[in-house]
Amino acid sequence: MSAERSYRDKAMENRGLFTEGFSFRKLVEIFGARNVFQNVKILGFSGDVAGEIDVLVFWGGRAIVLQAKSKKLTLEARKGNDKQLQADFKMSVQDSYDQGISCAELLVDGDFKIIDFNHKELRLDRAGLKSIYLFCVVSDHYPALSFQSRQFLNLKKSDRICPPFVMDIFTLDVMV
């Protein structure tokens, strides 16, 4: 399907929607439907979107911010092209982490409004958050993901935001 130029963008969009929906359903299995939210938006004073979270879990004074990415590892990267590998990593894992850390920082800032996909405000005890865990989930099987995350990922230090769990969708499935 990716080879079909006219369908390529739609195929990637569908992969992203599947990854997000699958992750949501898996986390609901653990934390329950009332603690897991999909397609969450963080709004500023004027109603502008300051951040978007694919899946948010609020449970026991902790939060999980899950960012799903459908970017595939290109053939050139799989062949060992280091520049392409780093570019692919950036577009999937680093971008996912950057979006996740930004949203996590906004979560602890009480000035922002959090709404779900139905535009309903989520009234969550953000002041009582002890820890925020970032999950960066990619849609493809990626055997070197753990090693490359330690090698390439640029992390930001924080007291309440923990280093990310970087995984493919299959690892999330096994963990659940």
Side-chain angles (χ1 to χ4, degrees):
M1 286 186 266
S2 293
E4 181 66 37
R5 285 182 185 252
S6 63
Y7 185 68
R8 184 179 303 150
D9 291 342
K10 189 67 174 171
M12 291 307 286
E13 178 184 337
N14 288 337
R15 287 171 62 86
L17 291 172
F18 171 79
T19 304
E20 184 179 311
F22 180 85
S23 299
F24 171 76
R25 290 187 301 278
K26 286 299 171 181
L27 292 175
V28 165
E29 286 180 34
I30 295 174
F31 298 104
R34 70 173 196 233
N35 299 311
V36 183
F37 311 94
Q38 188 174 7
N39 295 320
V40 173
K41 290 190 179 14
I42 303 171
L43 304 178
F45 292 116
S46 62
D48 58 316
V49 177
E52 295 182 26
I53 301 172
D54 293 333
V55 181
L56 173 66
V57 176
F58 243 80
W59 190 78
R62 290 166 177 79
I64 295 173
V65 172
L66 185 145
Q67 296 300 128
K69 293 293 182 199
S70 60
K71 172 71 178 102
K72 295 174 74 168
L73 203 57
T74 59
L75 186 57
E76 279 302 307
R78 289 181 188 270
K79 287 181 180 178
N81 181 325
D82 192 49
K83 270 191 170 172
Q84 188 61 52
L85 178 64
Q86 289 184 35
D88 288 356
F89 183 87
K90 187 208 174 304
M91 287 189 282
S92 59
V93 179
Q94 188 67 55
D95 287 353
S96 174
Y97 172 76
D98 292 344
Q99 185 177 358
I101 195 87
S102 172
C103 289
E105 289 169 343
L106 294 172
L107 272 180
V108 297
D109 187 336
D111 293 335
F112 290 88
K113 184 175 172 181
I114 301 171
I115 62 168
D116 67 8
F117 68 97
N118 290 320
H119 305 287
K120 178 184 164 207
E121 185 173 359
L122 300 176
R123 304 228 181 252
L124 305 167
D125 179 19
R126 296 186 283 163
L129 271 177
K130 299 172 192 157
S131 301
I132 301 174
Y133 302 94
L134 302 178
F135 284 17
C136 302
V137 179
V138 297
S139 60
D140 268 358
H141 176 60
Y142 197 148
L145 188 57
S146 177
F147 172 77
Q148 289 176 0
S149 293
R150 286 191 308 271
Q151 197 77 15
F152 299 135
L153 193 59
N154 295 317
L155 298 173
K156 190 173 182 182
K157 297 285 183 191
S158 174
D159 291 337
R160 285 198 275 183
I161 304 169
C162 302
F165 292 100
V166 180
M167 66 191 96
D168 59 34
I169 196 168
F170 306 104
T171 302
L172 178 65
D173 189 32
V174 169
M175 284 173 44
V176 169

